[in-house]
Amino acid sequence: EEQGGYDGERTVGEIHAVNSKAYASTSGTYDLERREREVRKKELELQAREKALEEAIRTAPKPPNWPKCKPIVYHSIVDDIPVETQRMVRVAYVTWMITFVGYLYNWLVIFLMFVSGTDTGVGDWFFATLVSSLGIPLSFFLWYRALYRAAKTQGSTLAYG
């Protein structure tokens, strides 16, 4: 017996039905493969978009949260700084806070001496005011914030000064 061809006993309708089933089978396989390729392509596009979104979220500017009374900058040692350098940044932060308190204490003492009539003059008060008003923000932005950024990006402090 011959298979797949016209053997003389089959009608044209039967042959057409056999050929249609074979075509449907290869057409279905081709259609399935095409759909799989499309799904893989869409999956790769989705993964690329997810990575881009994660990168955008990671690098997006965060809203200011420090100091709490009037936020100026974003500051979060736990969220920004890698675990291995968090201790160093915390020590630097405490050191900066002690410096801040020292500048304020110096100004307060000079101010009290000025108003109490001791040997301090206007020049002493002016210099204490100048040092406090410039020293506090400059120390924060020029040495503490530079160290914070360097620890955040695992870079050198010289590049962020």
Side-chain angles (χ1 to χ4, degrees):
E1 292 180 39
E2 293 181 19
Q3 291 182 346
Y6 180 69
D7 60 0
E9 296 178 14
R10 291 187 184 164
T11 65
V12 174
E14 290 174 339
I15 293 173
H16 181 66
V18 169
N19 287 340
S20 293
K21 287 180 185 175
Y23 176 74
S25 173
T26 58
S27 171
T29 303
Y30 174 75
D31 190 42
L32 183 61
E33 289 173 357
R34 182 182 57 80
R35 285 184 181 174
E36 284 179 3
R37 281 193 304 272
E38 288 175 0
V39 167
R40 279 191 221 114
K41 182 179 174 184
K42 287 182 180 181
E43 186 176 332
L44 290 174
E45 289 174 3
L46 182 60
Q47 287 175 351
R49 290 174 70 188
E50 285 175 348
K51 285 181 184 178
L53 181 61
E54 288 172 3
E55 181 67 20
I57 289 171
R58 190 179 63 80
T59 59
K62 296 175 178 136
N65 67 347
W66 190 92
K68 292 185 190 285
C69 58
K70 175 130 175 70
I72 300 170
V73 295
Y74 179 79
H75 184 268
S76 177
I77 295 173
V78 173
D79 293 339
D80 284 348
I81 309 299
V83 176
E84 59 271 4
T85 56
Q86 281 184 5
R87 186 179 188 300
M88 176 190 65
V89 174
R90 280 194 181 105
V91 168
Y93 181 69
V94 169
T95 303
W96 181 81
M97 291 298 285
I98 291 169
T99 303
F100 172 78
V101 170
Y103 280 127
L104 289 181
Y105 182 73
N106 178 53
W107 183 85
L108 182 65
V109 167
I110 297 294
F111 178 74
L112 290 175
M113 289 176 67
F114 176 68
V115 296
S116 68
T118 58
D119 289 340
T120 57
V122 176
D124 293 331
W125 177 83
F126 179 74
F127 187 70
T129 302
L130 182 68
V131 167
S132 295
S133 62
L134 291 177
I136 292 171
L138 289 178
S139 67
F140 180 80
F141 287 106
L142 294 181
W143 71 263
Y144 173 71
R145 195 71 176 165
L147 178 76
Y148 180 89
R149 284 193 202 128
K152 179 178 175 179
T153 60
Q154 301 282 323
S156 167
T157 56
L158 295 176
Y160 298 98

